[in-house]
Amino acid sequence: MSRLIVISNRVQAPTENETGGAQGGLAVALNAALAEGEGIWFGWSGDTGEDNSLRFATYGGVTSAVMDLSEQDVDEYYNGYANRTLWPLFHFRLGLTEFERDFAGGYERVNRVFAERIRPHIAEDDLVWVHDYHMIPLGWLLRQQGVTNRIGFFLHIPWPPTRLLVALPDHRRLVESMFAYDVVGFQTEEWLESFCHYVTHEMGGVLGDDDTVTVGGRTIRAIACPIGIETKDFVEMANGPEARAAQMRQLESAVGRSLIVGVDRLDYSKGLPERFAGYERFLQNYPDRQALVYLLQIAPPSRSAVQSYRDIRANLEQMSGRINGAYADTDWVPIRYVNRGYPRATLAGIYRAARIGLVTPLRDGMNLVAKEYVAAQSPHDPGVLILSRFAGAAAQLDQALLVNPYSAEDVSDAIDKALRMPKAERIERWQAMFDNVTAEDVIWWRRRFLDVLTA
Ligand code: ADQ
């Protein structure tokens, strides 16, 4: 069996003082594959330093290899091109996208260093799997280093429409570099279609049978392969003691009110101000139901070196303060807004306590919170998922109440409908979604991608 080499910006291999239960789905799936075949997971350590040699560690049968980046590298590659150029552009936010030549230079430089460092550790039969927008040109740079192995690439975020992508200086160079891969994977058919549109309209590419795309003399496979969660483990966790305790704690503090929950990294793509506005509209439109609900929004800060992330944080603090000031009573605050991370088992319990899961990104590659919410529900009395039609997950979870997150009215109406939904309908919708989350879990995703890569 060939080894698997995983390369991503950050490594999520197990560490000395972490149990498997602390990990998210992606880490669980990839670590399982890595452990089967003695693979290696490469990436940035998350630290800054001038020495970028690789440091190896092995725990739980998985080897990780990480390197530090210089401050300049972090500024230009990570905070710059990845998170101030590609992230906003690929989430359709042209107005937030910053184009700096230094960012583009730093991005390619860091990818080149990764390629050079990793190259000596790739053996003849290894399968190489590169992840996400931080590393788009890595396969091409590995080819320049003489790597002839099968290399796949998976994009976790949306692929933007051609009309937006062409705003990126050197867009063609970036997409051309993707033809160094053997397989490129996207979360949904929609993102795949956008990629194919670019390739056919901007590069004279030709689509063939069997998901092939040809440009010039080079043919690759481009597939839609939606990522899932570690459903079986998550269901078990939601039924376990830690989750039960978290669920009870919520239910006790709710004193009979219905919990509406949102869980998101603090990121403008997640539509949090719009969500608060939709919830506020509900409070306005349905005054008699005001004191029957509360919104718990959990949003751990991320990427705080980037100004647009500091702005969204300030905006949300201001909004939640204003809404609470306007509507709170002596024994009720409409929004509990919490900026910290929780263990996965605690999250599972909170999801289970929630009558409504409110997942309303303005644009999202997939959105795993929606799937976790479904997996955590009680089959006998499940809550209702309200899901943005602009999340990749909406293609699979079409039995959710799908909303336009930009419309406060739409969100408000969906909250009302969810609160009134009869149990039989809740169970029917939940069952359909649960079947999908079970069948297309993260192990299914990994197998499907690697099957295509090895085919
Ligand atoms: P993200 O944008 O990070 O991922 P998402 O898919 O929702 O978004 O995953 C977030 C994960 O973080 C979930 O597993 C969630 O439970 C966890 N999380 C969020 N808040 C937390 C908190 N306070 N405490 C603990 N855990 C928390 C990117 C893309 C997505 C895509 C994934 C996977 O943007 O579209 O679904 O990758 O491909």
Side-chain angles (χ1 to χ4, degrees), residues 87 156-157 187 227 263-265 270 298 300 340-342 344 347 351 364-369 372:
W87 177 273
H156 290 261
I157 66 174
Q187 300 272 26
I227 195 169
V263 176
D264 311 75
R265 267 187 316 100
K270 303 295 182 184
I298 300 178
R340 47 170 283 202
Y342 288 93
R344 289 180 74 68
L347 279 187
Y351 291 139
D364 218 331
M366 174 54 60
N367 194 293
L368 297 179
V369 169
E372 290 165 3

Side-chain angles (χ1 to χ4, degrees), residues 399-429:
Q399 286 301 304
L401 293 182
L402 295 182
V403 294
N404 173 357
Y406 292 95
S407 161
E409 288 297 348
D410 213 17
V411 173
S412 158
D413 289 351
I415 294 173
D416 175 55
K417 184 171 176 186
L419 290 172
R420 285 188 294 103
M421 191 180 287
K423 196 186 212 178
E425 183 180 347
R426 279 190 279 129
I427 292 177
E428 196 183 320
R429 286 174 180 270

Side-chain angles (χ1 to χ4, degrees), residues 231 371 393 395-397 431-441:
T231 308
K371 295 185 172 185
Q396 290 164 297
L397 305 180
Q431 188 66 56
M433 294 192 283
F434 185 72
D435 290 348
N436 176 276
V437 170
T438 305
E440 299 183 352
D441 69 355

Side-chain angles (χ1 to χ4, degrees), residues 260-323:
I260 303 174
V261 75
V263 176
D264 311 75
R265 267 187 316 100
L266 225 170
D267 190 302
Y268 50 79
S269 68
K270 303 295 182 184
L272 296 172
E274 292 78 3
R275 186 179 307 169
F276 282 7
Y279 176 66
E280 183 180 24
R281 189 65 62 93
F282 169 80
L283 299 177
Q284 279 166 359
N285 287 355
Y286 302 92
D288 55 322
R289 322 191 70 169
Q290 272 179 14
L292 300 179
V293 294
Y294 69 104
L295 171 63
L296 170 62
Q297 177 61 54
I298 300 178
S302 66
R303 304 176 194 167
S304 32
V306 179
Q307 183 61 40
S308 47
Y309 286 76
R310 294 199 292 269
D311 291 346
I312 182 107
R313 183 164 189 183
N315 184 15
L316 286 168
E317 276 162 13
Q318 195 263 337
M319 276 186 92
S320 59
R322 185 181 56 70
I323 295 169

